[in-house]
Amino acid sequence: AFFCWAGVAMAKKLKIPCILEVNEVSGIKRQRPQKLVKLCGDIERNIFKQASAIVVVSEFLKRKVLERGVPGNKVFVVPNAVNESDFDVNIDREEIRARWGWDDKIVIGFVGMFSHWDRLDVLLETFSRVLQKFHHARLCVVGEGLERAKLLGQAKNLGIEQAVIFTGEVTRDQVVGYI
């Protein structure tokens, strides 16, 4: 949001409302390292103050925006979504199941960037308990991110690495098949 100063300045000049979408805030651990965090935070607070409304994608981000002094009635959560028409295709899920040896398996999945806020460590821990009861279960983790090495190590330490597939990044059109 700290790069959106021009939008709020222009809205003020034109005397029109400014609805700001916030996907991250300064100072939180994220995929890419941040520079000039204090300066960005100061600019961000000013932008938040001037925006007519702020839309965030999660309760986590709403809390972070509220912590910066924004009134609660100005912040709205609109979770990420998908275009349902993307799922109106005939996907050959059997090809993916055969590729990974999932013919008779129950598959639990995650698709995204491996960020600490996704709490994939909890998913792996929970899956290890599921696997004790349902030996035919598999966990498919699609994507990449900073947490990958830690998650691979955790799967090994839990003794579940044979039941967890880390696919790496896949193309956008392949994501639907995995889901």
Side-chain angles (χ1 to χ4, degrees):
F2 47 85
F3 290 121
C4 296
W5 59 269
V8 293
M10 187 57 73
K12 186 175 183 179
K13 180 179 179 178
L14 297 174
K15 297 180 177 144
I16 60 173
C18 176
I19 300 173
L20 180 67
E21 178 187 8
V22 176
N23 290 298
E24 62 181 310
V25 292
S26 62
I28 61 171
K29 185 178 174 189
R30 44 176 265 189
Q31 295 299 110
R32 297 172 306 271
Q34 295 180 350
K35 308 286 185 201
L36 306 170
V37 174
K38 180 171 179 351
L39 175 62
C40 292
D42 292 343
I43 294 169
E44 188 175 73
R45 277 186 287 285
N46 186 288
I47 292 168
F48 290 169
K49 181 180 173 184
Q50 292 183 59
S52 308
I54 298 172
V55 177
V56 296
V57 296
S58 68
E59 289 295 331
F60 170 82
L61 279 173
K62 180 176 182 177
R63 283 192 308 278
K64 293 299 180 185
V65 169
L66 294 176
E67 287 171 8
R68 284 147 175 84
V70 177
N73 65 348
K74 193 170 156 175
V75 184
F76 302 89
V77 177
V78 179
N80 287 326
V82 297
N83 182 347
E84 290 183 32
S85 67
D86 289 347
F87 291 86
D88 288 342
V89 296
N90 276 330
I91 298 292
D92 182 9
R93 69 188 203 106
E94 298 310 317
E95 185 273 325
I96 290 174
R97 292 181 70 79
R99 179 184 327 152
W100 297 105
W102 295 337
D103 297 331
D104 59 343
K105 308 293 189 242
I106 295 172
V107 181
I108 300 167
F110 171 85
V111 176
M113 295 182 75
F114 305 168
S115 299
H116 70 280
W117 55 75
D118 290 321
R119 296 305 314 266
L120 294 176
D121 57 323
V122 175
L123 176 61
L124 288 175
E125 178 65 39
T126 303
F127 179 71
S128 72
R129 292 194 303 271
V130 168
L131 194 58
Q132 290 172 9
K133 187 170 184 176
F134 301 97
H135 305 289
H136 58 290
R138 295 296 177 263
L139 177 60
C140 179
V141 186
V142 178
E144 283 293 339
L146 296 175
E147 300 286 306
R148 181 183 175 88
K150 187 188 311 182
L151 295 169
L152 288 167
Q154 182 185 4
K156 184 173 183 169
N157 290 340
L158 290 168
I160 61 173
E161 70 270 21
Q162 298 301 317
V164 180
I165 304 294
F166 288 89
T167 67
E169 288 184 12
V170 300
T171 62
R172 183 174 289 273
D173 61 317
Q174 291 174 316
V175 168
V176 174
Y178 279 95
I179 293 172

